[in-house]
Amino acid sequence: MGFRCEGHAGYVAEGYDPVCAAVSVLTVNTVNSIEQFTSDGMTVDADEDGLVVLQLEEDSSDKTKLLLDSMVLGLEAIQKSYGNEYIRLIFKEV
C-alpha cells in the first residue's frame, strides 16, 4: 500500500498554484503523520519536480489506513473543486 504523486497542476501559468500547494500539503502531511503517529515501516522518495512516493513495507495499521483515507478525501475534494484538468486521481490494486 502507498501512493505516488507526480507533476504539477498547471492551474496558473506562473507563481502560486493553489492546487499544487494543497496537494503538497496533504501528501507531505500524510507522510509526516504516518511517521509520527504509527510504527509502520515505509520508504519515501521525493524530488523537486513534484514527485512524492510512499511505499509501506508491511501490513499497515488501522491508523495508517485512516491517514491515507483522510489524504484521499482531501485530494478528492480538490479534484471536485478544480476539476480533472488540474488533478487526476488513479487508484490501482497491485
Side-chain angles (χ1 to χ4, degrees):
M1 186 177 343
F3 67 85
R4 176 184 184 94
C5 179
E6 62 183 305
H8 294 282
Y11 183 70
V12 295
E14 287 184 28
Y16 175 75
D17 188 328
V19 177
C20 277
V23 170
S24 294
V25 166
L26 284 171
T27 56
V28 170
N29 188 65
T30 299
V31 170
N32 291 340
S33 294
I34 292 170
E35 183 177 51
Q36 181 71 30
F37 300 125
T38 78
S39 58
D40 294 349
M42 65 177 170
T43 57
V44 179
D45 292 313
D47 68 22
E48 294 177 7
D49 293 323
L51 175 70
V52 177
V53 180
L54 174 136
Q55 182 68 46
L56 295 165
E57 294 177 356
E58 35 186 87
D59 289 338
S60 347
S61 66
D62 288 340
K63 285 182 181 180
T64 293
K65 290 175 185 174
L66 180 62
L67 291 166
L68 289 171
D69 286 345
S70 179
M71 179 189 73
V72 169
L73 179 68
L75 293 172
E76 288 174 337
I78 295 166
Q79 185 179 41
K80 186 176 180 179
S81 294
Y82 290 93
N84 294 332
E85 181 181 351
Y86 301 107
I87 179 172
R88 189 170 31 131
L89 303 176
I90 301 169
F91 298 91
K92 293 182 182 180
E93 199 167 318
V94 292

